[in-house]
Amino acid sequence: MRANRCVRVCARLILLLIVTATALLAPPPPLFAAGAPPAEADVPATARTWPVGLRPRVLRGWEPPATPYGPGHRGVDLAAHAGTPVRAVTAGRVSFAGRVAGKQVVSVDLTGTGDPPLRTTYEPVTAAVEKGEEVEPGEVIGTVDASGSHCSAAPCVHWGLRRGDVYLNPLSLLPPWLLHRGPSRLLPVPGTAPPR
């Protein structure tokens, strides 16, 4: 009888050790309810222009939250004065143009970016487009609204990017040549001698 009890206790201890080791060696649970956010590598660099200006100053960068409802900055703030034209960064369809919480917002679902599609948002922007309109890269979709900016240091436009409920870094839409564009340089044509 005592031997049976000892075997049961030992079996339970071994089972407890196996369960504990499995739990400790398993990957951590995702931070987001729908799974971890996709890596920036999953965002195609399809943008052909900045939303405002040629190379606007980034006043506040992307600060992803640690949890879905945690603190962070779910987009980037680009320096832009009231009345500055705001352009679609790539082709898409306007999914929203109107007010949200007292701010003028324009949202564009990006063409060919999967299901659900990537969606860019721009605020505060007085819309020059309507819901359902197709837009092309560089097309003016509105102007920076004089009111509603959440930037305190300087006027700005907030540019966001989402796939479904997951926020992503909108700067990842910009290809390296547009993100890090420097001054133009002329290169010699191969096979020609430099002028003397």
Side-chain angles (χ1 to χ4, degrees):
M1 184 91 116
R2 237 179 142 135
N4 276 345
R5 186 169 182 223
C6 184
V7 169
R8 282 195 309 250
V9 169
C10 287
R12 287 180 184 163
L13 285 174
I14 290 171
L15 183 59
L16 180 62
L17 285 172
I18 291 171
V19 170
T20 302
T22 303
L24 291 174
L25 296 175
L31 293 175
F32 292 81
E40 287 180 19
D42 294 339
V43 176
T46 58
R48 295 293 165 250
T49 183
W50 283 86
V52 291
L54 297 175
R55 175 80 168 86
R57 188 166 44 110
V58 176
L59 300 175
R60 184 173 177 195
W62 164 249
E63 299 166 18
T67 63
Y69 303 106
H73 192 235
R74 293 160 174 84
V76 295
D77 294 339
L78 305 174
H81 293 287
T84 300
V86 178
R87 296 181 301 275
V89 296
T90 190
R93 180 185 300 272
V94 177
S95 57
F96 181 82
R99 285 195 173 279
V100 174
K103 295 180 185 177
Q104 296 281 356
V105 177
V106 175
S107 297
V108 177
D109 288 349
L110 306 184
T111 304
T113 58
D115 187 26
L118 290 170
R119 174 177 289 172
T120 55
T121 57
Y122 312 86
E123 67 175 73
V125 174
T126 301
V129 292
E130 294 180 0
K131 181 178 178 179
E133 274 186 59
E134 296 283 339
V135 294
E136 294 299 321
E139 184 177 334
V140 174
I141 59 174
T143 56
V144 177
D145 193 32
S147 62
S149 177
H150 71 262
C151 295
S152 56
C156 76
V157 65
H158 178 82
W159 178 32
L161 176 67
R162 293 178 12 178
R163 183 183 301 278
D165 292 331
V166 178
Y167 289 88
L168 302 163
N169 184 354
L171 295 178
S172 60
L173 285 171
L174 297 171
W177 63 267
L178 190 55
L179 186 59
H180 305 291
R181 181 170 27 194
S184 298
R185 294 185 305 144
L186 296 176
L187 300 174
V189 176
T192 60
R196 295 185 184 219

